Amino acid sequence: MSDSLTLPRRPSLGTIGTRFRVNANFFELKELPTSPIYHYDVKMHPHSTSMPRNRRVWAKLEVGQLSDKHVVYDGKQNAFSSQPLPNDDESGFVQYNVNLEGNTSTDRDIRVMMKLAAIINHDALHEFLKGRRNLDGDTQFSITALDALIRHRPAMTHVPKGKSFFISTGAQKMIGGLQVWSGGFASVRWGGVGTDGLPTGKLYVNVDVANTAFYNSIKLVDLVGQLINRPIESNSNFRRLTKNELSIISKNLNRLRIECVHRPNRPKYTICHITKTNADDTKFNMESTGKLVSVTEYFRKQYNMKLQYGSILPCIAVKQGANFLPMEVCHVVEGQLYPHKLNPSQTSEMIRKTCAKPDQRKSKINAALRLLIGDDDGNDEMKAFGVRMGRNMVSIQARVLPEPFLQYGKSSVKPSGGTWNMASKKFFNPAMLSNWVVLSFVDERNLPFEEVNHFVGQLVKEGANLGMKIATESTANTWLSIRNASAQGDIAQAISEAVKPNLRYGALPELLICIMPDKTSPIYTIVKHEADCKYGVMSQCVNRHQLRKLNQQYLVNLLLKINAKLGGQNVKLAEGNLPFIGGRPTLVLGADVWYVSLHRIYFQISLALVGRHHCNKYTSKSHTISISHPPPRSSAPSIASVVAGLDSVCTRYGVELGFQTTRQEVIAELGPMVLTHIKSYRNKTQKKPESILYFRDGVSEGQFSIIKRTELQAIREACSRLDGGNFQPKITVIVVQKRHHTRFFPIDRTTERSGNCPPGTVVDTEITHPSEFDFYVQSQASLQGTSRPTHYHVLHDDNGFDADTLEQLVYHLCFLHARCTRSVGIVPPVYYADLACYRARCHLKDAGIWSDSDVSNRADRAATLDSTEHLYDKVNERLKNWYIYNVPIFIFRFVYPSAYVVVVRRSKRYRGYQLIYRAETELNIYEASVP
């Protein structure tokens, strides 16, 4: 963050709510360095990007040439010393020579060269902590040096990953050949203001529990069996590996470290790839004889070893060229992080094994603290730098905000503990369902027709209790069909046969309910693709296991989704319970990102979550943009989704999506996307928004500058396109941060049964920013484990919010999630944006091509992308009020066909595609760049 970035100062501290005290997992740095820290640039020859290898080199230095000095290292190119190191020559380099015990040339004759890069004093840091300076480069250098100091010793003695470190003690086995390792997380964080509103001048270390997946240190053959979920057998009954199994094996073994157990010194290698042939058929030229031999034959002659799986398993290549090893002589080296995304089953197992109640998590945090600094107030390196750390969590003041009143039909309800009951309540605006189909993909032996029929009857009954009118039989004006299909059959054909009979009644069904065999069934993607794109039918998937234990709460939750999809309105905040937005025309925007297409194709899509009547009948006052990222090394591009609230009470939402290049954080087409929503808002309400609130998800502190500079400007430019540039609404930009390690533990208040802080807990002192406007809100009641608050940081504020108004607005919005009767952890527009990105993936013609878990053959996929003109299918015209595609290849209509027509043409002038769309009152032209 540069000196030029000035963020809004904290206007005040919040005062509304009941005060109580909590512990936060922040530990005060009671003493900071008084002397400069010397920053050295580190280079190693031969060069290596492997941080474990670099740390092994540094460990040799620590017990050798640096044994009388205290120099900490970050595993990359930075070292920090409490005193200057002597120069070896006039060039200013400090040089050391190291040899590792290894079997490769890169482990021998390693030259470590260090050169002084900067001398860090701490004046800037102290000025920042007192609120008199921005978080600039000098301040960040001091924090970076202290971060490296705090994490150096655990990173050298344990397995590091980012700001976390892990130990093998207590590792728990998982499916798929993995283990869960636990450890700690540590990051230096600044202190905020005290209860008097003045900066405390304190610095803390945020310490938390960390868990991640490692490869299990087992025989490589056993790992392969667990990866494909069937044991490897040497007998003739073993079925040959399929193409899909070989792909799974190849992906998981790539770059894996193994050791060879058939040789006395057990050398270690890194797997480059697996062969396409088994050991019997994989051949190479022996250097000694020049003859072509198979791997099986070589091991028989060289080691007198008969391979058990020579005709079954491929070999692994450990070096470039013909360097092959049979899998059965290899063992997985311990301590290797699993680099891929966990599958749904593994994710569920990870959550079960690592979930900890507040008291348990607190104990684990204290254990992580001991790994970090030992049993004293600092390890040897910290003491050498003059740093002393407290051993107790900081105690801070929190407040519990009052819960809002909710409106249901003609009655209102006051939530308690973040939840409420819909007993004897009716939807605020119940929908009607006259024409629907139930399609079961479960074998009748596992789910008899009678149970399906019972489910339908109970759904209709509960819907009536909530005010919905649902058809119970086929008549001249209604239609209900219950059918069964095979989960192993042609899913698309089954859907076609289920929905087409309704054409005899003049229309396709309004709703298709599909009963799934299980919650991870791949049928889901096909159902959504066919229903959304081919037939234009709203769909709802149901897990068959839920039907066996059918209860009222499940039916209510299901009907919450169905009513919203059919155009109904479940609930709204009672009059006077929506701060700020309820008093003036306000457009609410937000942001987060996924990756799907390298083309910057730009289209709009309205969530199936909202109803078909929304765009035609209701006004738009709330939008959210979401950008989600693929895992590291993935070549999948990004989707920026824009969720738009379509009424004045923030209960109905639509979506707009834009495609951009991989791992691009800034939303490239934000201006046109915002412009579309401003026009929609104006056309529906006959008013221009006086204020714009822009919630931006997925942004770290280091990206604040670029987000404020680029995206705020994009919003302003969008506004300037209206009324001859005279439209200038007041804009507030708020970053929403979920991925952090801050947790709260109540001290002096009767808590929830779970032991968590109650919903509505707000913290805006002590551990927040020393001068800028930020706060934490824990808006949800915890279902399991320890609740995580959401951090909100204001980057720009023309609206002049005070703390109480903004904190209440954020909290009250969290009660308007359409899918449940409880407050949620983040403002709903951001929540819906994630759902929109996930749903958009179902419309890809080959949804598996950009799989998060498949990071192999990235070049092939990129080539496929460049040669594929259409990556996804357009949503059916019947759902145009939910889904709006704006693709710069076709001529088509927008969601409001009476108001807009879109034409796309090739433009040499703009070196791309020119997008021209005509509104009733004006013609606007802007460029959509498509490679």
Side-chain angles (χ1 to χ4, degrees):
M1 202 176 296
S2 66
D3 291 310
S4 61
L5 177 64
T6 301
L7 300 185
R9 308 284 289 189
R10 188 183 304 279
S12 60
L13 292 177
T15 58
I16 294 177
T18 304
R19 300 176 185 232
F20 71 111
R21 299 202 65 81
V22 299
N23 283 135
N25 56 335
F26 283 58
F27 298 81
E28 184 183 351
L29 289 176
K30 294 184 176 296
E31 292 183 9
L32 296 176
T34 55
S35 302
I37 293 177
Y38 297 86
H39 174 209
Y40 286 86
D41 182 54
V42 180
K43 297 186 184 301
M44 295 186 184
H45 303 279
H47 174 70
S48 173
T49 58
S50 169
M51 292 177 66
R53 180 261 195 186
N54 292 344
R55 283 198 164 94
R56 291 199 302 272
V57 172
W58 198 264
K60 282 280 188 178
L61 286 176
E62 286 188 328
V63 297
Q65 293 139 299
L66 292 178
S67 59
D68 60 338
K69 300 175 178 63
H70 292 285
V71 187
V72 298
Y73 177 54
D74 70 352
K76 299 177 182 176
Q77 295 182 326
N78 300 288
F80 302 91
S81 176
S82 59
Q83 56 188 339
L85 301 177
N87 297 336
D88 286 351
D89 52 45
E90 295 180 356
S91 64
F93 281 100
V94 185
Q95 299 190 37
Y96 303 100
N97 295 313
V98 175
N99 281 298
L100 296 178
E101 297 176 359
N103 50 288
T104 63
S105 58
T106 58
D107 292 335
R108 297 186 292 272
D109 300 324
I110 300 170
R111 187 157 48 104
V112 181
M113 303 176 64
M114 294 191 291
K115 187 174 184 179
L116 184 65
I119 299 176
I120 303 172
N121 63 55
H122 308 289
D123 294 340
L125 176 60
H126 289 293
E127 288 294 299
F128 167 72
L129 294 176
K130 293 175 182 176
R132 297 197 289 257
R133 185 177 183 132
N134 290 336
L135 183 62
D136 55 20
D138 291 340
T139 306
Q140 192 62 59
F141 280 146
S142 292
I143 293 175
T144 299
L146 292 172
D147 258 329
L149 170 63
I150 296 298
R151 291 196 296 268
H152 172 75
R153 186 47 49 200
M156 294 297 294
T157 55
H158 308 302
V159 180
K161 179 185 179 184
K163 294 184 177 183
S164 302
F165 50 91
F166 302 93
I167 60 174
S168 59
T169 305
Q172 304 176 72
K173 290 184 178 180
M174 287 177 58
I175 58 176
L178 304 181
Q179 288 181 321
V180 182
W181 284 28
S182 296
F185 165 92
S187 177
V188 174
R189 299 291 299 175
W190 46 80
V193 298
T195 54
D196 57 1
L198 299 176
T200 62
K202 295 179 179 179
L203 202 63
Y204 296 98
V205 179
N206 178 205
V207 181
D208 195 19
V209 180
N211 302 282
T212 195
F214 281 72
Y215 283 104
N216 201 353
S217 182
I218 55 178
K219 295 178 181 179
L220 189 59
V221 172
D222 293 338
L223 174 61
V224 167
Q226 293 184 42
L227 289 173
I228 64 175
N229 201 27
R230 62 184 178 112
I232 306 299
E233 300 174 352
S234 58
N235 58 51
S236 58
N237 295 326
F238 183 78
R239 176 171 51 84
R240 291 184 60 184
L241 297 175
T242 66
K243 185 178 180 180
N244 183 54
E245 288 175 335
L246 287 170
S247 175
I248 293 172
I249 295 169
S250 176
K251 181 197 74 172
N252 282 277
L253 299 194
N254 185 41
R255 307 302 301 168
L256 186 68
R257 292 273 295 173
I258 53 93
E259 60 180 349
C260 301
V261 297
H262 68 291
R263 292 170 59 181
N265 61 341
R266 298 174 73 98
K268 296 180 174 64
Y269 297 100
T270 300
I271 298 176
C272 296
H273 63 271
I274 66 170
T275 60
K276 296 181 180 180
T277 53
N278 57 38
D280 289 350
D281 298 328
T282 301
K283 299 182 179 181
F284 63 97
N285 286 307
M286 287 189 64
E287 294 182 359
S288 58
T289 63
K291 293 182 178 180
L292 193 67
V293 296
S294 69
V295 172
T296 300
E297 184 180 0
Y298 174 80
F299 270 77
R300 181 176 58 80
K301 292 180 178 180
Q302 186 72 19
Y303 300 104
N304 193 28
M305 179 184 297
K306 181 180 179 181
L307 300 182
Q308 296 183 47
Y309 310 104
S311 62
I312 297 173
L313 295 178
C315 296
I316 61 171
V318 295
K319 294 180 181 178
Q320 297 299 325
N323 293 277
F324 306 120
L325 289 169
M327 291 187 179
E328 59 196 84
V329 302
C330 302
H331 198 285
V332 179
V333 174
E334 187 180 36
Q336 296 184 80
L337 288 156
Y338 182 69
H340 309 291
K341 181 178 179 179
L342 299 177
N343 63 39
S345 298
Q346 290 170 329
T347 301
S348 297
E349 187 177 14
M350 171 75 83
I351 292 172
R352 287 196 306 271
K353 291 181 180 297
T354 60
C355 181
K357 293 181 178 180
D359 288 345
Q360 297 171 330
R361 192 181 190 101
K362 200 171 182 180
S363 297
K364 291 182 178 181
I365 289 172
N366 288 325
L369 180 68
R370 288 192 292 273
L371 292 175
L372 191 68
I373 64 173
D375 294 323
D376 205 346
D377 54 5
N379 53 44
D380 292 343
E381 286 80 14
M382 293 171 63
K383 292 176 181 177
F385 280 78
V387 174
R388 189 168 65 88
M389 183 173 167
R391 300 192 63 85
N392 296 317
M393 289 186 182
V394 62
S395 171
I396 60 178
Q397 178 182 280
R399 291 174 290 116
V400 180
L401 298 179
E403 294 169 311
F405 282 91
L406 304 175
Q407 188 71 41
Y408 275 104
K410 297 180 179 180
S411 61
S412 63
V413 61
K414 180 72 178 291
S416 176
T419 65
W420 61 96
N421 196 318
M422 285 193 62
S424 303
K425 302 290 189 301
K426 296 185 184 298
F427 289 136
F428 181 75
N429 180 19
M432 179 184 296
L433 179 57
S434 303
N435 194 342
W436 57 304
V437 174
V438 178
L439 178 59
S440 174
F441 288 102
V442 183
D443 190 282
E444 287 195 44
R445 291 172 296 181
N446 296 320
L447 187 66
F449 178 81
E450 290 75 16
E451 291 190 21
V452 177
N453 203 37
H454 175 69
F455 158 68
V456 170
Q458 292 300 306
L459 188 69
V460 170
K461 179 180 177 181
E462 192 58 40
N465 292 337
L466 297 172
M468 297 181 68
K469 294 181 180 179
I470 304 177
T472 58
E473 60 182 357
S474 298
T475 66
N477 299 314
T478 63
W479 174 271
L480 168 60
S481 174
I482 304 176
R483 305 172 64 94
N484 189 271
S486 171
Q488 285 73 43
D490 189 331
I491 305 301
Q493 181 62 30
I495 295 172
S496 174
E497 293 175 357
V499 301
K500 281 187 176 180
N502 288 45
L503 290 176
R504 292 179 297 173
Y505 290 80
L508 287 165
E510 297 168 298
L511 179 67
L512 170 65
I513 294 182
C514 293
I515 303 175
M516 302 286 123
D518 56 72
K519 64 181 180 181
T520 61
S521 174
I523 297 175
Y524 175 89
T525 300
I526 304 173
V527 168
K528 295 302 179 183
H529 181 275
E530 294 295 301
D532 294 348
C533 302
K534 189 170 184 179
Y535 300 107
V537 174
M538 290 308 303
S539 57
Q540 176 63 54
C541 293
V542 177
N543 183 357
R544 63 119 171 169
H545 296 291
Q546 294 290 348
L547 304 192
R548 285 292 176 90
K549 52 182 181 180
L550 200 61
N551 57 56
Q552 184 185 28
Q553 186 59 55
Y554 175 74
L555 291 170
V556 169
N557 291 341
L558 191 61
L559 287 163
L560 287 169
K561 299 179 184 180
I562 292 173
N563 188 60
K565 291 180 180 182
L566 295 175
Q569 197 174 4
N570 295 342
V571 65
K572 73 166 190 172
L573 289 168
E575 194 71 27
N577 283 259
L578 188 57
F580 188 83
I581 295 175
R584 71 197 71 190
T586 304
L587 182 69
V588 183
L589 301 168
D592 192 17
V593 176
W594 276 68
Y595 287 97
V596 174
S597 170
L598 289 177
H599 299 300
R600 287 164 62 189
I601 299 172
Y602 165 57
F603 67 93
Q604 293 180 305
I605 178 172
S606 292
L607 274 178
L609 174 65
V610 302
R612 64 165 176 267
H613 307 299
H614 296 172
C615 293
N616 291 337
K617 294 173 60 178
Y618 300 98
T619 62
S620 172
K621 283 198 176 183
S622 174
H623 303 71
T624 290
I625 299 171
S626 172
I627 299 184
S628 304
H629 297 291
R633 296 193 292 147
S634 173
S635 58
S638 63
I639 309 174
S641 71
V642 182
V643 175
L646 303 175
D647 63 2
S648 61
V649 291
C650 297
T651 59
R652 291 184 167 115
Y653 294 85
V655 182
E656 184 175 291
L657 300 176
F659 288 93
Q660 56 196 48
T661 53
T662 186
R663 304 208 70 79
Q664 180 180 347
E665 187 60 51
V666 174
I667 302 172
E669 300 294 341
L670 179 60
M673 298 165 96
V674 171
L675 178 61
T676 300
H677 288 305
I678 293 174
K679 289 183 176 182
S680 171
Y681 178 87
R682 183 185 63 180
N683 290 341
K684 286 298 177 181
T685 64
Q686 303 304 311
K687 295 179 181 178
K688 293 175 293 186
E690 298 176 8
S691 299
I692 294 178
L693 306 185
Y694 178 58
F695 288 99
R696 180 64 158 89
D697 190 18
V699 177
S700 64
E701 282 110 359
Q703 297 167 322
F704 283 3
S705 177
I706 189 171
I707 293 300
K708 180 173 181 178
R709 185 175 66 252
T710 59
E711 296 189 2
L712 176 60
Q713 183 61 28
I715 296 172
R716 285 173 171 164
E717 289 178 358
C719 296
S720 69
R721 291 173 179 262
L722 297 173
D723 297 343
N726 295 321
F727 176 55
Q728 297 179 345
K730 296 180 179 180
I731 301 171
T732 297
V733 179
I734 306 166
V735 166
V736 182
Q737 295 177 308
K738 309 185 297 288
R739 298 175 181 88
H740 58 77
H741 287 264
T742 301
R743 300 294 186 272
F744 300 136
F745 305 92
I747 301 174
D748 56 0
R749 177 184 169 93
T750 302
T751 63
E752 293 184 295
R753 275 188 311 181
S754 65
N756 282 287
C757 294
T761 296
V762 175
V763 170
D764 57 7
T765 62
E766 301 291 348
I767 61 169
T768 50
H769 197 280
S771 60
E772 294 169 5
F773 190 5
D774 70 325
F775 54 91
Y776 291 90
V777 178
Q778 183 182 304
S779 52
Q780 79 283 14
S782 177
L783 295 174
Q784 60 179 345
T786 306
S787 294
R788 175 173 57 187
T790 299
H791 184 228
Y792 297 88
H793 200 129
V794 180
L795 300 193
H796 182 82
D797 185 23
D798 292 333
N799 288 290
F801 275 101
D802 61 72
D804 280 327
T805 301
L806 188 55
E807 289 167 3
Q808 284 190 99
L809 172 60
V810 164
Y811 181 46
H812 288 191
L813 285 174
C814 292
F815 285 81
L816 294 179
H817 191 276
R819 294 186 163 198
C820 57
T821 54
R822 57 192 313 120
S823 56
V824 292
I826 56 175
V827 286
V830 172
Y831 201 119
Y832 294 152
D834 292 334
L835 296 176
C837 287
Y838 183 80
R839 181 63 163 268
R841 297 179 65 184
C842 299
H843 301 157
L844 291 172
K845 291 186 176 179
D846 183 1
I849 191 172
W850 301 114
S851 169
D852 286 343
S853 59
D854 182 10
V855 295
S856 61
N857 301 320
R858 296 185 300 278
D860 293 341
R861 293 210 305 277
T864 301
L865 177 64
D866 289 335
S867 62
T868 303
E869 186 177 8
H870 312 305
L871 293 175
Y872 53 85
D873 286 317
K874 294 171 61 178
V875 170
N876 191 282
E877 182 73 8
R878 294 185 75 248
L879 293 183
K880 63 185 178 184
N881 292 332
W882 292 297
Y883 298 93
I884 316 162
Y885 277 69
N886 177 3
V887 186
I889 296 176
F890 304 98
I891 299 175
F892 56 93
R893 287 185 176 272
F894 265 133
V895 63
Y896 309 110
S898 61
Y900 300 97
V901 174
V902 177
V903 179
V904 182
R905 71 184 181 201
R906 186 76 180 181
S907 170
K908 293 182 180 179
R909 177 182 175 187
Y910 292 103
R911 296 182 180 179
Y913 288 87
Q914 192 175 11
L915 200 64
I916 306 172
Y917 78 84
R918 175 177 172 80
E920 288 181 335
T921 58
E922 62 188 85
L923 180 70
N924 295 285
I925 301 175
Y926 58 92
E927 179 193 3
S929 301
V930 181

